[in-house]
Amino acid sequence: MSPRTRTRIVVLTAAVALAVLSAPGGAHAAGGAGSRDVRATVREAAEGLPGHTVYRPADLRVLPRGGVPVIAYGNGACAASNLSAITFLTGLASQGYIVIANGAPDAFPVPSTPETTTAHPEALLAAIDWATTSREARRQLDGRAAPDRIGVLGHSCGGVEALAAGTDPRVGAVAGFNTGYLPEPAFGGYGRDRLAQLHSPTLLVNGGPDDVAYQNSIDNHALLTVPAALAGHATVGHSGLISGEQATTGWQVAADWFDYVLRGDERAGARFVGPDCGLCTEPEWTVETKGLPL
């Protein structure tokens, strides 16, 4: 990547961050956590890992060496493009996360149908391998990636990728938005029997009855045997929290979850846990949990 190209990417990401800050809710957490510090971020290719994009804090030097959590992300439709989720992924990275998304920075989505779509959890695992073991990542990320703080995240079919990758022993937290395994194996043979293989706290988020994955998320949550949360927003539908007007809210929910599970932040945990949890008291949100301590 030439210096000129990389500069353009930095400028683009800064513009996206400004859009996040000016959106409803802006730099504020979705509830009781108060005002958020939003770091400048960079969006760039992953050196030595084709077909992936890194979203990260622009100044890694101020963050602890070996202490920055890594999140591997699968796109909606299991697409090899993360352009539709730029606001969501930039917001999450602004909270001190290294996010590695499927798809090269300049890759555009290719139309597909559920019948012809295949999940590729191995792409998320390749991102984890790269971030934690490769010489290129050590140089690009300045040795900041935390090998013991790994999360997987995805939207829709990408959530299936996250659930499947979440069985890897290195993964400490799982989150899926508008997703869940279908009643019969799909997207390459991934079915609900795999839920029993998860070993880390798992968050499922849906967008209410208009979300095509609404019932699916409820059914998957019921089958989970790990500590888990099911959060639902009544009106945002299938993509509103990732690529719609509520994407700022979406990344804050994701950040709260990973802050809680990977960083042990009790204030973030209080967003999900208890009858008066922060998210529970917000209009149009409902939260159901099992096995989650504070």
Side-chain angles (χ1 to χ4, degrees):
M1 181 184 302
S2 71
R4 185 174 182 182
T5 301
R6 181 160 175 168
T7 300
R8 287 178 178 171
I9 292 173
V10 173
V11 171
L12 170 63
T13 309
V16 172
L18 287 174
V20 171
L21 289 172
S22 62
H28 296 279
S35 181
R36 285 185 178 273
D37 292 327
V38 179
R39 299 177 184 274
T41 61
V42 170
R43 179 179 185 266
E44 61 190 0
E47 298 174 9
L49 183 67
H52 289 77
T53 301
V54 175
Y55 294 77
R56 62 167 178 84
D59 188 359
L60 289 168
R61 295 170 300 174
V62 301
L63 299 172
R65 187 170 294 276
V68 180
V70 173
I71 309 297
Y73 178 79
N75 303 295
C78 292
S81 172
N82 54 76
L83 291 176
S84 66
I86 281 181
T87 296
F88 178 87
L89 297 172
T90 298
L92 182 55
S94 78
Q95 299 304 291
Y97 287 93
I98 295 167
V99 184
I100 308 166
N102 290 347
D106 57 354
F108 282 85
V110 176
S112 64
T113 65
E115 295 75 23
T116 61
T117 298
T118 300
H120 292 284
E122 68 274 11
L124 277 69
L125 298 178
I128 295 170
D129 291 341
W130 175 82
T132 57
T133 65
S134 77
R135 185 174 303 171
E136 294 91 342
R138 200 155 45 243
R139 180 174 58 247
Q140 183 173 349
L141 305 176
D142 197 31
R144 264 44 186 189
D148 58 346
R149 292 183 177 182
I150 304 292
V152 289
L153 167 67
H155 172 237
S156 193
C157 181
V160 171
E161 293 178 324
L163 289 168
T167 62
D168 187 281
R170 296 169 295 179
V171 173
V174 179
F177 281 64
N178 318 98
T179 194
Y181 292 120
L182 294 170
E184 297 297 326
F187 305 122
Y190 295 95
R192 292 180 175 178
D193 58 308
R194 296 181 65 94
L195 291 170
Q197 301 175 41
L198 289 170
H199 58 88
S200 302
T202 299
L203 168 69
L204 295 175
V205 181
N206 66 57
D210 289 338
D211 179 359
V212 67
Y214 173 68
Q215 190 60 48
N216 212 25
S217 68
I218 294 171
D219 294 343
N220 276 241
H221 174 75
L223 293 171
L224 287 170
T225 57
V226 293
L230 173 67
H233 187 291
T235 61
V236 294
H238 190 61
S239 300
L241 292 168
I242 303 295
S243 57
E245 293 183 357
Q246 297 295 324
T248 299
T249 299
W251 69 251
Q252 290 175 352
V253 171
D256 282 332
W257 179 252
F258 290 122
D259 283 353
Y260 171 40
V261 179
L262 295 180
R263 289 174 163 150
D265 186 333
E266 292 187 358
R267 285 201 309 163
R271 302 283 297 140
F272 303 97
V273 180
D276 297 319
C277 73
L279 209 53
C280 307
T281 61
E282 294 195 9
E284 303 197 88
W285 279 98
T286 58
V287 180
E288 178 183 332
T289 63
K290 52 184 176 183
L292 289 173
L294 262 185

